Amino acid sequence: MRAARLIKMVLLLQSRPAMTAAELARELEVSERTVTRDAQALSEAGVPVYADRGRAGGYRLIGGYRTRLTGLHRSEAEALFLSGVPGALREMGLQDAASAARLKVSAALLPSLRDASRTAAQRFHLDAPSWFKEPGTPEPLPAVADAVWDDRRITARYRRGDSEVERELEPYGLVLKAGVWYLCARVADRGSFRVYRIDRFTAVEVGEERFSRDQGFELPAFWEERAEQFARSILRAEVVVRLSGEGVRRLPYALDPRSARDALAAAGTPDDDGRVTVTLPVESEEVAHTQLSALGPEVEVLAPEGLRERFAEDARRLADLYGT
């Protein structure tokens, strides 16, 4: 346990010019006193760690000290080669850089671990696009990806309804969701963060000016928050339904899973027929008709009346097709 922590400490110090005891303690999930003891142990073992005192102080490695990747276990080496997404790297124009990086990592590994890339590729593959959709690479994506890497401002024109809008953006990060690329960016003249679909950009110009990145910005947390806001923002209507036990089981597969689970948690006890009455948030009656149709006879729509009548008409047409 301690040996793994010491290795992680060295790697952390290799990746940054300096780290305070508090920063190391947070990363290593130990106390600052333990960080001090670990630094002393590394120094005694020949790793050139030293500490600067004062407000700008911290732990550093002397003279650009580097350690080779000889301490990796097989599972760690294989996991390392799973960290890339080949299709996404290709679309961002980073395929050659990723290939070169994998070769360098392989060369640094012990001979017994150099087949890690092959064994990982034989066992795991990520296919990001959703089913029945032709994957397409938005033309501006490589330029946007370069701007994200270099913290360069971009001027982007994008489609909004029937018109085009131009914005100066500070591109913070890219997200690939179900085969669709999104840019998380700060609007330069407003300071607010927004999400843009890359395939709606009609033109992108990467400027020479770099922006100062907000160090408190965390892309995964930002995306999770915005994705949840979006999912809830489009649920503007409500329908009331009665579900059989099978309908309850299948509901999260027909609607937004989180909204379905929340609605079921708020539902009352089953009636004498074993059916549960549930109020569901939906995007619209039209969308609800499409989604709930997948449940067939396991759902009965109680309200609104217009939607109930649509299902009644569906039932009459089915009866005509299959006989009463």
Side-chain angles (χ1 to χ4, degrees):
M1 182 70 178
R2 190 189 187 199
R5 190 175 70 242
L6 292 174
I7 292 172
K8 185 176 181 181
M9 184 174 179
V10 173
L11 295 175
L12 285 169
L13 293 174
Q14 282 186 188
S15 65
R16 307 178 195 181
M19 293 184 70
T20 66
E23 290 171 335
L24 284 167
R26 185 166 55 251
E27 291 282 353
L28 299 172
E29 299 181 349
V30 296
S31 67
E32 292 186 30
R33 178 175 291 184
T34 299
V35 168
T36 301
R37 289 198 297 264
D38 286 352
Q40 181 64 31
L42 286 171
S43 180
E44 292 173 356
V47 178
V49 178
Y50 75 99
D52 281 336
R53 298 186 180 276
R55 294 182 59 186
Y59 288 94
R60 306 170 187 270
L61 291 174
I62 299 175
Y65 174 86
R66 311 293 294 176
T67 181
R68 292 173 60 83
L69 298 176
T70 54
L72 291 177
H73 298 294
R74 169 164 290 277
S75 60
E76 294 170 334
E78 291 171 345
L80 181 64
F81 286 101
L82 286 175
S83 61
V85 184
L89 292 170
R90 182 175 60 252
E91 292 180 6
M92 287 190 291
L94 298 174
Q95 186 177 21
D96 291 342
S99 177
R102 285 193 293 269
L103 287 173
K104 290 178 180 179
V105 171
S106 295
L109 291 173
L110 290 171
S112 60
L113 299 179
R114 288 177 185 167
D115 65 340
S117 61
R118 181 177 59 83
T119 57
Q122 287 175 336
R123 289 162 173 80
F124 300 98
H125 174 67
L126 176 61
D127 185 7
S130 57
W131 287 103
F132 312 118
K133 288 187 179 180
E134 283 292 328
T137 303
E139 186 176 338
L141 179 61
V144 174
D146 285 343
V148 170
W149 278 115
D150 291 340
D151 292 339
R152 294 186 184 274
R153 288 187 175 183
I154 64 172
T155 301
R157 293 187 62 83
Y158 66 95
R159 295 187 300 274
R160 189 169 70 181
D162 297 329
S163 62
E164 283 194 358
V165 179
E166 184 174 289
R167 290 282 185 269
E168 187 175 356
L169 303 174
E170 297 174 351
Y172 267 64
L174 289 168
V175 175
L176 178 60
K177 170 73 171 179
V180 179
W181 284 98
Y182 296 88
L183 172 67
C184 302
R186 183 166 60 186
V187 183
D189 59 350
R190 301 182 183 182
S192 58
F193 286 93
R194 297 188 180 179
V195 177
Y196 299 88
R197 279 184 60 145
I198 303 293
D199 58 9
R200 291 181 182 168
F201 285 176
T202 58
V204 170
E205 181 180 346
V206 180
E208 294 297 322
E209 182 182 1
R210 284 189 166 89
F211 63 90
S212 297
R213 180 175 286 265
D214 181 353
Q215 297 303 314
F217 179 85
E218 295 288 344
L219 181 59
F222 172 79
W223 176 258
E224 182 179 3
E225 178 186 353
R226 289 304 173 92
E228 183 175 348
Q229 288 177 359
F230 172 75
R232 295 190 180 279
S233 69
I234 64 175
L235 303 178
R236 302 186 181 95
E238 285 188 344
V239 300
V240 183
V241 299
R242 292 174 71 231
L243 296 165
S244 67
E246 178 63 14
V248 168
R249 187 188 70 81
R250 289 164 50 184
L251 185 67
Y253 299 97
L255 278 70
D256 170 62
R258 182 176 298 180
S259 298
R261 287 193 292 267
D262 290 347
L264 289 171
T269 57
D271 58 21
D272 294 340
D273 296 327
R275 290 182 170 254
V276 177
T277 299
V278 180
T279 300
L280 298 171
V282 295
E283 185 174 346
S284 64
E285 288 189 24
E286 183 70 31
V287 173
H289 178 257
T290 300
Q291 293 174 326
L292 294 174
S293 292
L295 300 181
E298 310 304 330
V299 61
E300 176 191 0
V301 175
L302 303 179
E305 186 60 34
L307 183 60
R308 179 179 174 85
E309 184 53 41
R310 290 186 68 172
F311 274 91
E313 176 61 22
D314 290 346
R316 287 191 288 268
R317 292 176 60 191
L318 285 169
D320 290 342
L321 284 174
Y322 292 102
T324 56

